[in-house]
Amino acid sequence: MSGRGRFVSFEGGEGSGKSTQVERLAVMLRERGHDVITTREPGGTDGAEEIRALLVGGEPGRWSGRTEALLMNAARADHVEKLIRPALEEGIWVLCDRYAHSTLAYQGAARGLESDELIALHFIATQGLWPDLTVLLDMDAEAGLARAASRKGNETRFEEEGLAFHREVCAGFRAIAEVDERMAVVDAGQAVDAVTAEIFALVEDRLG
Ligand SMILES: Nc1ncnc2c1ncn2[C@@H]1O[C@H](COP(=O)(O)OP(=O)(O)OP(=O)(O)O)[C@@H](O)[C@H]1O
Ligand SMILES: [Mg+2]
C-alpha cells in the first residue's frame, strides 16, 4: 500500500490523441516506479464494454441524448465500482481515456442536456468520483475528425454526426475547462512528443 492512487482522465474530441497519450504517459509513469492501469470509457469492464457496444455502434439517431446519458452513466457505475475505485484504493494510478467530462460535452453541450442534471446523474453513478487531473486535448474539430478517419472499425456512431455537432463538443470541453480548476488544456495540434512532454510536466506539477 502506498496511499491512494491518482486518477487522471484524458478528454477531447474525436482524433485529438487521447488513446495515444494515455499509453505514453503510462510508460513514463511506470519507468518512474508507479503502478499504473490504463482504461477507457465508455467501457473498461466486461459489463461496461457491453454497454459501449450499444453506444458506439448503429445509427447516429439510435438514442436520444437522455438515453445516451443514462447508458454512459450505467457503464461508468460498473467501471468505477469494479475497476477504478478498487485500483485507487490499492495505490494504483488510473489513466482513463474519456470519463465524465465527455458526458458533459457530448450529452450536455452537444445534445442539450442540462449540466445540473448530468452532475446529479454522475453523483448517482459514481458517488461523486472526479479525477485528480483531467487533460483536455484541445484541437480543431475538423482536424481531429480527419485524424480519426484514418482508423478503421465499426465504432463510428459519434463520428458520423455532422461537423456542427463536433464543434459543439470541442467548444463544450473548452467552456468546462474555464470553470474546472482540475482540468488543464493542452494544444493537441502539436507534434506527438511535444504533447506528451506537456502532459508529463502537468502531472509532475499538479500530482507530484
Ligand atoms: N499529435 C499528433 N500529431 C499527429 N497525429 C497524431 C497526434 N496524436 C495522435 N495522432 C494520430 O491521430 C490518430 C488519432 O489518435 P488517437 O487514436 O490517439 O486519438 P483519440 O483522441 O483516441 O481518438 P478517438 O476519439 O477517435 O478515440 C492516430 O492515427 C494517431 O496516431
Ligand atoms: Mg481513442
Side-chain angles (χ1 to χ4, degrees):
M1 287 281 282
S2 54
R4 184 185 175 278
R6 300 281 189 274
F7 181 19
V8 184
S9 65
F10 288 70
E11 299 281 8
E14 313 295 317
S16 56
K18 301 176 294 297
S19 304
T20 303
Q21 297 299 334
V22 162
E23 292 311 320
R24 285 171 153 245
L25 181 63
V27 169
M28 294 178 81
L29 291 170
R30 286 180 188 127
E31 281 170 2
R32 283 157 183 83
H34 296 292
D35 280 335
V36 182
I37 59 167
T38 64
T39 186
R40 68 169 184 184
E41 289 212 345
T45 54
D46 291 347
E49 289 287 331
E50 288 194 31
I51 299 170
R52 177 188 180 93
L54 297 173
L55 282 159
V56 300
E59 291 298 309
R62 181 176 189 187
W63 311 112
S64 70
R66 190 166 291 276
T67 308
E68 247 176 38
L70 287 160
L71 287 169
M72 290 289 181
N73 275 278
R76 185 162 303 135
D78 195 67
H79 191 204
V80 166
E81 197 176 299
K82 296 191 178 136
L83 183 73
I84 299 177
R85 204 185 289 279
L88 293 173
E89 281 168 4
E90 282 178 44
I92 299 169
W93 285 58
V94 177
L95 310 186
C96 194
D97 185 341
R98 295 192 182 280
Y99 186 67
H101 296 82
S102 279
T103 309
L104 297 174
Y106 282 74
Q107 285 73 48
R111 300 239 199 260
L113 268 76
E114 293 294 335
S115 56
D116 287 356
E117 285 189 299
L118 293 174
I119 286 166
L121 194 52
H122 179 76
F123 190 80
I124 294 168
T126 70
Q127 298 171 293
L129 181 69
W130 289 94
D132 299 299
L133 172 67
T134 296
V135 176
L136 173 58
L137 292 167
D138 181 44
M139 76 184 292
D140 176 62
E142 205 163 359
L145 284 168
R147 279 187 188 169
S150 65
R151 291 165 324 183
K152 308 222 187 312
N154 52 7
E155 296 196 332
T156 57
R157 186 170 158 264
F158 287 97
E159 279 167 46
E160 284 170 30
E161 290 284 351
L163 187 55
F165 176 89
H166 293 286
R167 286 193 174 131
E168 294 284 350
V169 168
C170 291
F173 277 128
R174 279 178 212 124
I176 300 162
E178 280 178 21
V179 296
D180 183 345
E181 56 191 26
R182 279 183 289 185
M183 194 168 196
V185 184
V186 172
D187 174 4
Q190 307 174 80
V192 181
D193 286 345
V195 177
T196 304
E198 202 173 318
I199 293 169
F200 188 72
L202 267 171
V203 168
E204 280 202 308
D205 180 46
R206 303 226 188 165
L207 304 179

